[in-house]
Amino acid sequence: MSRCLVTGAAGFIGSHLSEALLAMGHDVVGVDAFIPYYPRPLKETNLKPLIDHPRFVFHELDLRTAELAPVVDGCDVIFNEAAMAGLMKSWSEFELYVSCNIIATKRLLEAARDAKTAQFIHVSTSSVYGKDAVGAPEDKPLTPFSPYGVTKVGAENLCRAFEANFGVPVTILRYFSVYGPRQRPDMAYNILIRALLDGRSFTMYGDGEQSRSNTYVADCVNATLLAFEKRDAALGEVFNIGGGEVVTLNDVIRMLEELTGKKAVIERKPPRPGDQKHTAANIAKAQRILGYKPATPVLDGLRAQVEWQCKSA
């Protein structure tokens, strides 16, 4: 069994990943800074299934400023799930995104280099591809469409620089539109479900025909674990991680109306700057090398998220 460091361990995907690693018998060192992008109590709730586990150790620390050697030393793999997410805020608080997504990644890479960590799995995003990310292979030129995307490209380039200059063993995963239980409260599906449950209106930016190859969180975690389990094949590679089903926002609204038994009240506004119109993950490489196969239909994933939000309301 391995000793695994998970950054962003109190977050949406990081908490699910930490649970899965513990279930497999690994030791997990979790790190989170609780940066107030959304309320701390939500992250503390994410940690509840983990915090008393005998093979889980948690450190509240900021990757931008803390001494990282003590938490990195002895770890076989680093899963870098930590990031400042949400592209709209990146227009007005770019310095925050630079510090969280670029400076923090550089410091973590330095610690991994010094500790001779066996694998550094860095989590990136479909936002690196730009306005439309439909069927893009991993070697497509990156043309980010928002300041958030710019910082995520910068973090990927840092990974490549540390790989080339210092031999840091890097794997990059580009997640596409992850959803499911524990989804961040600023994300569209969470907002839409809350609006339906509370009988409030939902603000739609654009015509609702924007499409996504949504990735259910369990599929996302499975892909991340495969990159770890198949380390020899994954080192030096970048993989798109997406779901197998493309749906529009209008499709999702119809599904959620069916699941909740309520009619959505839509307040329409123009598209926001930086929003991608369409994304559809080309997962051929992840299928071929990692054996990744998304297993959760969108309707089933949305049902699980609705059930979670009903319980946590």
Side-chain angles (χ1 to χ4, degrees):
M1 292 296 105
S2 298
R3 184 172 176 84
C4 309
L5 175 63
V6 179
T7 69
F12 168 32
I13 303 169
S15 61
H16 282 285
L17 175 62
S18 297
E19 282 188 65
L21 288 165
L22 291 169
M24 294 170 67
H26 300 294
D27 294 327
V28 176
V29 179
V31 167
D32 208 289
F34 294 99
I35 293 171
Y37 181 71
Y38 61 94
R40 180 182 179 121
L42 296 179
K43 286 193 168 186
E44 291 175 338
T45 299
N46 292 344
L47 278 177
K48 282 183 179 178
L50 301 167
I51 205 69
D52 293 326
H53 196 289
R55 283 184 282 103
F56 182 76
V57 177
F58 182 72
H59 299 277
E60 182 176 347
L61 59 81
D62 193 325
L63 297 173
R64 299 170 295 179
T65 56
E67 174 57 48
L68 300 182
V71 294
V72 171
D73 286 348
C75 290
D76 304 294
V77 58
I78 295 172
F79 296 91
N80 188 26
E81 296 278 351
M84 181 57 64
L87 62 86
M88 283 303 108
K89 196 173 181 179
S90 71
W91 290 103
S92 59
E93 298 190 35
F94 185 59
E95 293 81 1
L96 176 62
Y97 282 73
V98 169
S99 68
C100 290
N101 296 348
I102 296 181
I103 293 173
T105 299
K106 177 180 181 291
R107 297 187 78 248
L108 192 60
L109 284 161
E110 289 171 338
R113 174 199 62 195
D114 297 344
K116 296 181 170 50
T117 305
Q119 188 179 22
F120 188 101
I121 298 178
H122 177 72
V123 171
S124 190
T125 169
S126 62
S127 292
V128 299
Y129 289 118
K131 188 173 183 180
D132 290 311
V134 178
E138 287 83 353
D139 59 358
K140 177 184 177 181
L142 305 181
T143 55
F145 190 55
S146 68
Y148 165 68
V150 168
T151 64
K152 294 300 284 184
V153 171
E156 284 197 23
N157 288 340
L158 277 171
C159 288
R160 291 304 190 200
F162 273 79
E163 178 185 55
N165 287 281
F166 306 112
V168 175
V170 169
T171 302
I172 296 172
L173 305 179
R174 292 175 182 154
Y175 291 168
F176 279 65
S177 302
V178 185
Y179 73 106
R182 301 181 199 161
Q183 190 187 50
R184 298 194 324 267
D186 64 297
M187 297 181 77
Y189 292 179
N190 189 308
I191 295 170
L192 175 55
I193 292 168
R194 276 186 281 129
L196 282 164
L197 294 175
D198 296 343
R200 294 182 287 102
S201 64
F202 170 73
T203 302
M204 177 190 288
Y205 297 95
D207 59 7
E209 287 303 299
Q210 53 265 52
S211 60
R212 298 289 183 266
S213 58
N214 299 272
T215 316
Y216 186 63
V217 64
D219 290 329
C220 177
V221 166
N222 180 51
T224 306
L225 293 173
L226 286 169
F228 169 46
E229 293 165 5
K230 300 190 176 185
R231 176 186 298 168
D232 291 345
L235 288 180
E237 301 289 352
V238 55
F239 299 98
N240 293 327
I241 305 301
E245 186 179 353
V246 177
V247 292
T248 67
L249 180 56
N250 288 328
D251 292 332
V252 170
I253 290 171
R254 286 189 287 269
M255 291 182 198
L256 290 174
E257 287 177 333
E258 175 186 336
L259 290 168
T260 62
K262 299 187 178 184
K263 182 70 175 175
V265 178
I266 306 298
E267 180 183 348
R268 299 181 183 275
K269 291 191 176 182
R272 301 176 300 180
D275 271 343
Q276 293 169 293
K277 179 68 174 178
H278 302 291
T279 71
N282 178 344
I283 60 173
K285 184 177 178 182
Q287 290 174 313
R288 183 179 73 253
I289 295 177
L290 302 180
Y292 170 60
K293 186 181 295 184
T296 310
V298 171
L299 183 61
D300 291 348
L302 290 173
R303 180 179 291 109
Q305 182 164 342
V306 168
E307 291 173 355
W308 167 74
Q309 288 192 228
C310 286
K311 292 175 183 176
S312 58

Coordinates of all heavy atoms in Angstrom, one line a residue, residues 4 17 20-21 24 26 77 79 81 119 121 123 171-173 175 215 217-235 237-242 283-295:
C4 N -0.3 8.5 0.3 CA -0.8 9.4 -0.7 C -1.1 10.8 -0.2 O -1.7 10.9 0.9 CB -2.1 8.9 -1.4 SG -2.0 7.1 -1.9
L17 N -11.9 11.5 -3.6 CA -10.7 10.7 -3.9 C -10.1 10.2 -2.6 O -9.6 9.0 -2.6 CB -9.7 11.7 -4.6 CG -8.4 11.1 -4.9 CD1 -8.5 9.9 -5.8 CD2 -7.5 12.2 -5.6
A20 N -11.9 7.1 -1.5 CA -11.6 6.0 -2.3 C -10.2 5.4 -2.0 O -10.1 4.1 -2.0 CB -11.7 6.4 -3.8
L21 N -9.2 6.2 -1.8 CA -7.9 5.7 -1.5 C -7.9 5.0 -0.2 O -7.2 3.9 -0.1 CB -6.9 6.9 -1.5 CG -6.6 7.5 -2.8 CD1 -5.9 8.9 -2.6 CD2 -5.7 6.6 -3.7
M24 N -9.3 1.6 -0.5 CA -8.3 0.6 -1.1 C -7.2 0.2 -0.2 O -6.4 -0.6 -0.6 CB -7.8 1.3 -2.4 CG -8.8 1.6 -3.5 SD -8.1 2.7 -4.8 CE -6.9 1.6 -5.5
H26 N -4.9 2.4 1.3 CA -3.8 3.3 1.3 C -3.8 4.3 2.5 O -4.9 4.5 3.1 CB -3.8 4.2 0.0 CG -3.6 3.4 -1.2 ND1 -2.5 2.6 -1.6 CD2 -4.5 3.2 -2.3 CE1 -2.7 2.0 -2.7 NE2 -3.9 2.3 -3.2
V77 N 2.9 9.3 -3.8 CA 2.2 10.0 -4.9 C 1.6 11.3 -4.3 O 1.1 11.3 -3.2 CB 1.2 9.1 -5.5 CG1 0.2 8.6 -4.5 CG2 0.5 9.8 -6.7
F79 N -1.5 13.8 -5.3 CA -2.7 14.1 -6.1 C -3.0 15.6 -5.9 O -3.5 16.0 -4.9 CB -3.9 13.3 -5.7 CG -3.8 11.8 -5.9 CD1 -3.3 11.0 -4.9 CD2 -4.2 11.3 -7.1 CE1 -3.2 9.7 -5.1 CE2 -4.1 9.9 -7.3 CZ -3.6 9.1 -6.3
E81 N -5.2 18.2 -6.3 CA -6.5 18.6 -6.6 C -6.8 20.0 -6.2 O -7.9 20.5 -6.5 CB -7.5 17.6 -5.8 CG -7.5 16.2 -6.2 CD -8.3 15.9 -7.4 OE1 -9.0 16.8 -7.9 OE2 -8.2 14.7 -7.9
Q119 N 5.3 9.9 -8.1 CA 4.4 10.4 -9.1 C 3.7 11.6 -8.7 O 3.3 11.7 -7.5 CB 3.3 9.3 -9.5 CG 2.4 9.7 -10.7 CD 1.4 8.6 -11.0 OE1 1.1 7.8 -10.1 NE2 0.9 8.6 -12.2
I121 N 0.5 13.7 -9.7 CA -0.7 13.7 -10.6 C -1.3 15.1 -10.4 O -1.8 15.5 -9.4 CB -1.7 12.6 -10.2 CG1 -1.0 11.2 -10.4 CG2 -3.0 12.8 -11.0 CD1 -1.9 10.1 -10.0
V123 N -4.0 17.9 -11.5 CA -5.4 18.1 -12.0 C -5.5 19.4 -12.8 O -5.3 20.5 -12.2 CB -6.4 17.9 -10.9 CG1 -7.8 18.3 -11.5 CG2 -6.4 16.5 -10.4
T171 N 2.0 13.3 -14.2 CA 0.8 12.9 -15.0 C -0.2 14.1 -14.9 O -0.5 14.5 -13.8 CB 0.2 11.6 -14.5 OG1 1.2 10.6 -14.6 CG2 -1.0 11.2 -15.4
I172 N -0.8 14.5 -16.0 CA -1.7 15.6 -16.0 C -3.1 15.1 -16.4 O -3.2 14.4 -17.4 CB -1.3 16.7 -17.0 CG1 0.0 17.4 -16.5 CG2 -2.4 17.8 -17.1 CD1 0.6 18.4 -17.4
L173 N -4.1 15.4 -15.6 CA -5.5 15.0 -15.9 C -6.3 16.2 -16.2 O -6.4 17.1 -15.3 CB -6.1 14.2 -14.8 CG -5.3 13.0 -14.3 CD1 -6.1 12.3 -13.2 CD2 -5.1 12.0 -15.5
Y175 N -9.9 17.5 -16.3 CA -11.3 17.1 -16.0 C -12.2 18.0 -16.8 O -12.0 19.2 -17.0 CB -11.6 17.4 -14.5 CG -10.9 16.5 -13.5 CD1 -10.9 16.9 -12.1 CD2 -10.2 15.4 -13.8 CE1 -10.3 16.1 -11.1 CE2 -9.6 14.6 -12.8 CZ -9.7 15.0 -11.5 OH -9.1 14.2 -10.5
T215 N -19.0 14.8 -16.3 CA -18.3 13.7 -15.7 C -18.8 13.5 -14.2 O -18.6 14.4 -13.4 CB -16.8 14.0 -15.6 OG1 -16.3 14.5 -16.9 CG2 -16.0 12.7 -15.3
V217 N -18.8 12.4 -10.5 CA -17.6 12.4 -9.6 C -17.0 11.1 -9.4 O -15.7 10.9 -9.3 CB -18.0 13.1 -8.3 CG1 -19.0 12.3 -7.5 CG2 -16.7 13.4 -7.5
A218 N -17.8 10.0 -9.3 CA -17.2 8.7 -9.1 C -16.4 8.2 -10.3 O -15.4 7.6 -10.2 CB -18.3 7.7 -8.8
D219 N -16.8 8.6 -11.5 CA -16.1 8.3 -12.7 C -14.8 9.1 -12.7 O -13.7 8.6 -13.1 CB -16.9 8.6 -14.0 CG -18.0 7.6 -14.2 OD1 -17.9 6.5 -13.8 OD2 -19.1 8.1 -14.7
C220 N -14.9 10.3 -12.4 CA -13.7 11.2 -12.3 C -12.6 10.6 -11.3 O -11.4 10.5 -11.6 CB -14.1 12.6 -11.8 SG -12.8 13.8 -11.6
V221 N -13.1 10.2 -10.1 CA -12.2 9.6 -9.2 C -11.6 8.3 -9.7 O -10.4 8.0 -9.5 CB -13.0 9.3 -7.8 CG1 -12.2 8.4 -6.9 CG2 -13.2 10.6 -7.1
N222 N -12.4 7.5 -10.4 CA -11.9 6.2 -10.9 C -10.8 6.5 -11.9 O -9.8 5.8 -11.9 CB -13.1 5.5 -11.6 CG -12.6 4.2 -12.2 OD1 -12.0 3.3 -11.5 ND2 -13.0 3.9 -13.5
A223 N -11.0 7.5 -12.8 CA -9.9 7.8 -13.8 C -8.7 8.2 -13.1 O -7.6 7.9 -13.5 CB -10.4 8.9 -14.7
T224 N -8.8 9.0 -12.0 CA -7.6 9.5 -11.3 C -6.9 8.3 -10.6 O -5.7 8.3 -10.6 CB -8.1 10.5 -10.2 OG1 -8.9 11.5 -10.8 CG2 -6.9 11.1 -9.5
L225 N -7.7 7.4 -10.1 CA -7.0 6.2 -9.5 C -6.4 5.3 -10.6 O -5.3 4.7 -10.3 CB -8.1 5.3 -8.8 CG -8.7 6.0 -7.5 CD1 -9.9 5.2 -7.0 CD2 -7.7 6.2 -6.4
L226 N -6.9 5.2 -11.7 CA -6.3 4.5 -12.8 C -5.0 5.1 -13.2 O -4.0 4.4 -13.5 CB -7.2 4.4 -14.0 CG -8.4 3.5 -13.9 CD1 -9.4 3.7 -15.1 CD2 -8.0 2.0 -13.9
A227 N -4.9 6.4 -13.2 CA -3.6 7.1 -13.5 C -2.5 6.7 -12.5 O -1.3 6.7 -12.8 CB -3.8 8.6 -13.6
F228 N -3.0 6.5 -11.3 CA -2.1 6.1 -10.2 C -1.7 4.6 -10.3 O -0.5 4.2 -10.2 CB -2.8 6.4 -8.8 CG -2.1 5.8 -7.6 CD1 -0.8 5.9 -7.4 CD2 -2.9 5.2 -6.6 CE1 -0.2 5.4 -6.2 CE2 -2.3 4.7 -5.5 CZ -1.0 4.8 -5.3
E229 N -2.7 3.8 -10.5 CA -2.5 2.3 -10.5 C -1.7 1.9 -11.8 O -0.9 1.0 -11.7 CB -3.9 1.6 -10.5 CG -4.6 1.8 -9.3 CD -6.1 1.3 -9.4 OE1 -6.5 0.9 -10.5 OE2 -6.9 1.5 -8.4
K230 N -1.8 2.7 -12.8 CA -1.1 2.4 -14.1 C 0.0 3.4 -14.3 O 0.2 4.0 -15.4 CB -2.0 2.3 -15.3 CG -3.1 1.2 -15.1 CD -3.9 1.0 -16.3 CE -4.9 -0.2 -16.1 NZ -5.7 -0.5 -17.3
R231 N 0.8 3.6 -13.2 CA 1.8 4.7 -13.2 C 2.8 4.6 -14.3 O 3.1 5.6 -15.0 CB 2.5 4.6 -11.8 CG 3.7 5.6 -11.7 CD 4.4 5.4 -10.4 NE 3.6 5.6 -9.2 CZ 3.9 5.2 -8.0 NH1 5.1 4.6 -7.8 NH2 3.1 5.5 -7.0
D232 N 3.3 3.4 -14.6 CA 4.3 3.3 -15.6 C 3.8 3.8 -17.0 O 4.6 4.4 -17.7 CB 4.8 1.8 -15.7 CG 5.5 1.3 -14.5 OD1 6.0 2.2 -13.7 OD2 5.7 0.1 -14.3
A233 N 2.6 3.5 -17.3 CA 2.0 3.9 -18.6 C 1.6 5.4 -18.5 O 1.6 6.0 -19.6 CB 0.8 3.0 -18.9
A234 N 1.3 5.9 -17.3 CA 0.7 7.3 -17.2 C 1.8 8.3 -17.1 O 1.5 9.5 -17.4 CB -0.2 7.3 -16.0
L235 N 3.0 8.0 -16.7 CA 4.0 9.0 -16.4 C 4.4 9.7 -17.7 O 4.5 9.1 -18.8 CB 5.3 8.4 -15.9 CG 5.2 7.9 -14.4 CD1 6.5 7.3 -14.0 CD2 4.8 9.0 -13.5
E237 N 2.4 11.7 -19.3 CA 1.2 11.8 -20.2 C 0.2 12.8 -19.7 O 0.2 13.1 -18.5 CB 0.5 10.4 -20.4 CG 1.4 9.3 -20.9 CD 1.7 9.5 -22.4 OE1 1.2 10.4 -23.0 OE2 2.6 8.8 -22.9
V238 N -0.7 13.3 -20.6 CA -1.8 14.1 -20.2 C -3.1 13.4 -20.8 O -3.0 12.8 -21.9 CB -1.7 15.5 -20.8 CG1 -1.4 15.5 -22.3 CG2 -2.9 16.4 -20.4
F239 N -4.1 13.4 -19.9 CA -5.3 12.7 -20.3 C -6.6 13.6 -20.1 O -6.7 14.2 -19.1 CB -5.5 11.4 -19.4 CG -4.4 10.4 -19.6 CD1 -3.4 10.4 -18.6 CD2 -4.4 9.5 -20.6 CE1 -2.4 9.4 -18.7 CE2 -3.4 8.5 -20.7 CZ -2.4 8.5 -19.7
N240 N -7.5 13.5 -21.1 CA -8.8 14.1 -21.0 C -9.6 13.2 -20.2 O -9.7 12.0 -20.5 CB -9.5 14.4 -22.3 CG -8.8 15.4 -23.1 OD1 -8.2 16.4 -22.6 ND2 -8.8 15.2 -24.5
I241 N -10.4 13.7 -19.2 CA -11.2 12.8 -18.3 C -12.6 13.4 -18.4 O -12.9 14.5 -17.9 CB -10.8 12.8 -16.9 CG1 -9.3 12.3 -16.8 CG2 -11.7 11.9 -16.1 CD1 -9.1 10.9 -17.4
G242 N -13.5 12.7 -19.1 CA -14.9 13.2 -19.3 C -15.9 12.1 -19.2 O -15.6 10.9 -19.1
I283 N -11.9 11.1 -25.0 CA -11.3 10.3 -23.9 C -10.6 9.1 -24.5 O -10.3 8.1 -23.8 CB -12.3 9.9 -22.8 CG1 -13.5 9.1 -23.5 CG2 -12.8 11.1 -22.1 CD1 -14.4 8.5 -22.4
A284 N -10.4 9.1 -25.8 CA -9.8 7.9 -26.5 C -8.4 7.5 -25.9 O -8.2 6.3 -25.7 CB -9.6 8.2 -28.0
K285 N -7.6 8.5 -25.5 CA -6.3 8.1 -25.0 C -6.4 7.5 -23.6 O -5.8 6.5 -23.3 CB -5.5 9.4 -24.9 CG -4.0 9.2 -24.4 CD -3.3 10.5 -24.5 CE -1.9 10.3 -23.9 NZ -1.1 11.6 -24.0
A286 N -7.3 8.1 -22.7 CA -7.5 7.5 -21.4 C -8.1 6.1 -21.5 O -7.8 5.2 -20.7 CB -8.4 8.4 -20.6
Q287 N -9.0 5.9 -22.5 CA -9.5 4.6 -22.7 C -8.4 3.6 -23.1 O -8.4 2.5 -22.5 CB -10.6 4.6 -23.7 CG -11.9 5.3 -23.3 CD -12.9 5.4 -24.4 OE1 -12.6 5.8 -25.5 NE2 -14.2 5.1 -24.1
R288 N -7.6 4.0 -24.0 CA -6.6 3.1 -24.5 C -5.5 2.8 -23.5 O -5.1 1.6 -23.4 CB -6.0 3.8 -25.8 CG -4.9 2.9 -26.5 CD -4.4 3.6 -27.7 NE -3.5 4.7 -27.4 CZ -3.8 5.9 -27.6 NH1 -5.0 6.3 -28.0 NH2 -2.9 6.9 -27.3
I289 N -5.0 3.8 -22.8 CA -3.8 3.6 -22.0 C -4.2 3.2 -20.5 O -3.6 2.4 -19.9 CB -2.9 4.9 -22.0 CG1 -2.4 5.1 -23.4 CG2 -1.8 4.8 -20.9 CD1 -1.6 6.4 -23.5
L290 N -5.3 3.9 -20.0 CA -5.7 3.7 -18.6 C -6.8 2.6 -18.5 O -7.0 2.1 -17.4 CB -6.1 5.0 -18.0 CG -5.1 6.1 -18.0 CD1 -5.7 7.4 -17.3 CD2 -3.8 5.7 -17.3
G291 N -7.5 2.3 -19.6 CA -8.6 1.5 -19.4 C -9.8 2.2 -18.8 O -10.7 1.6 -18.3
Y292 N -9.8 3.5 -18.9 CA -10.9 4.3 -18.4 C -12.2 4.2 -19.1 O -12.2 4.2 -20.4 CB -10.5 5.8 -18.3 CG -11.6 6.8 -18.0 CD1 -12.3 6.7 -16.8 CD2 -12.1 7.7 -18.9 CE1 -13.3 7.6 -16.4 CE2 -13.1 8.6 -18.6 CZ -13.7 8.5 -17.3 OH -14.7 9.4 -17.0
K293 N -13.3 4.0 -18.4 CA -14.6 3.9 -19.1 C -15.7 4.5 -18.2 O -16.0 4.0 -17.1 CB -15.0 2.4 -19.3 CG -16.2 2.1 -20.1 CD -16.5 0.7 -20.2 CE -15.5 0.0 -21.1 NZ -15.8 -1.5 -21.3
P294 N -16.2 5.7 -18.5 CA -17.2 6.3 -17.7 C -18.4 5.4 -17.6 O -18.9 4.8 -18.6 CB -17.5 7.6 -18.4 CG -17.0 7.4 -19.8 CD -15.9 6.5 -19.7
A295 N -19.0 5.3 -16.4 CA -20.0 4.3 -16.1 C -21.4 4.9 -15.7 O -22.3 4.1 -15.7 CB -19.6 3.3 -15.1

